[in-house]
Amino acid sequence: MNVSRSDQAAPAAAPGVAPVVAQQPEVAGAEAAAAPRGGLRARLGPVGLVLAGGISVQFGGAVAVSVMPRVGALGIVTLRLAFAALVLLAVCRPKLRGHSRADWGTVVAFGVVMAGMNGLFYQSVARIPMGPAVTLEVLGPLALSVIASRRAVNLIWAGLALCGVFLLGGGGGFSGLDPAGVAYALGAGAMWAAYIVFSARTGRRFPQADGLALAMVVAAVVFLPLGIVESGAKLVEPGTLALGAVVAVMSSVLPYTLELLALRRLPAHTFAILMSLEPAIASVAGFLVLSQALSIAEALAISLVIAASMGAVRTQVSRGGGRMRADAEAVRKTEG
């Protein structure tokens, strides 16, 4: 099923994964012809939106870590998901009728995965610094990219990422990091890979961002009992509610909006490469907000994982470009 960008918002990409957008040849050709006329400013605009979204989500995560002593990891996730769900419902106003059982099954699965991804990640950053946590989380999308491409060259990128993980663990034993924090980060990475799959499926079944809004509601409902058990009445304290709203806007509403705007004018592979910088942005946010300094080995490890993620994206782009050139050549021969 082909879905044009004008009809439906593209699902968010993730580090190491270049989403495949099916387009009609005349649409792709028009976009390619229009790109040079846009000028440097037109190209840098969407890039700035993506980088702003990345900065927002990672600094929002740093604010969330600072709020954890008040309500705990489960409490701050509950507030983030609840406020994000309310904002998205108000903005998107998704229709509840006219959807099949399969549609609802997809959006419920998407919401459960979203809840798991956020819950596991915040449990991780409660125990280990943000930079290493995001770096380990990125391994999930990277693994998905390597598996999906089925190219031998991606084994190189996988090996490079494993070298980064080896360094991050202080020589392979993760002696410098809390083992539970590492496990939670890896679990969040697995959920992130599943998030990519269900985000794409939801995007094909629901118009605009309706599926995202409904999935966010599911995630908030799933997490609400956990937040109540851990935090109880602390969740409704005015100061905590205000900080939860800030985290929701910075970590969910604002980045989703900026990325949605950027994806309308930015190639998907460029978006994915920019998203690969998330571990570096997280490290800076952790240092500035939480005073989480990195050692030389940790900085090198994060750089290796970023390089592996970018390499995997470029490999997919080269493969896709080869296919597009072959298709174009076949069309020219047919027309000739």
Side-chain angles (χ1 to χ4, degrees), residues 64 67-68 70-87 122 216 219-220 223-224 226-228 231-249 252-253:
V67 180
M68 284 181 188
R70 293 190 179 201
V71 291
L74 299 180
I76 193 61
V77 174
T78 300
L79 291 174
R80 171 184 169 176
L81 294 176
F83 277 110
L86 291 174
V87 172
Y122 277 87
M216 190 69 74
F223 230 92
L224 184 59
L226 300 177
I228 292 176
S231 306
K234 295 179 181 178
L235 289 174
V236 295
E237 292 178 357
T240 302
L241 285 173
L243 290 171
V246 169
V247 172
V249 171
S252 297
V253 178

Side-chain angles (χ1 to χ4, degrees), residues 21 95 101 134 139 147 183 210-211 215 227 230 244-245 258 269 321:
V21 180
K95 295 180 179 180
R101 183 177 297 179
V134 175
L139 296 179
I147 294 171
D210 287 10
E230 181 177 74
L258 294 175
H269 65 270

Side-chain angles (χ1 to χ4, degrees), residues 14-17 133-148 161 165 185-197 305 309:
V17 178
V134 175
T135 303
L136 291 169
E137 187 188 25
V138 162
L139 296 179
L142 179 58
L144 179 62
S145 177
V146 171
I147 294 171
V165 173
L186 293 175
M191 289 291 102
W192 197 352
Y195 170 92
I196 294 167
V197 174
V305 174
S309 185

Side-chain angles (χ1 to χ4, degrees), residues 16 142-143 145-162 307-320:
L142 179 58
S145 177
V146 171
I147 294 171
S149 68
R150 299 179 182 178
R151 298 192 68 185
V153 68
N154 276 295
L155 295 177
I156 297 175
W157 306 127
L160 191 63
L162 289 177
S309 185
M310 289 184 172
V313 172
R314 295 299 301 176
T315 299
Q316 283 195 343
V317 171
S318 299
R319 185 185 185 189

Side-chain angles (χ1 to χ4, degrees), residues 165-190:
V165 173
F166 184 84
L167 282 175
L168 197 60
F174 289 97
S175 57
L177 298 174
D178 185 289
V182 170
Y184 281 125
L186 293 175

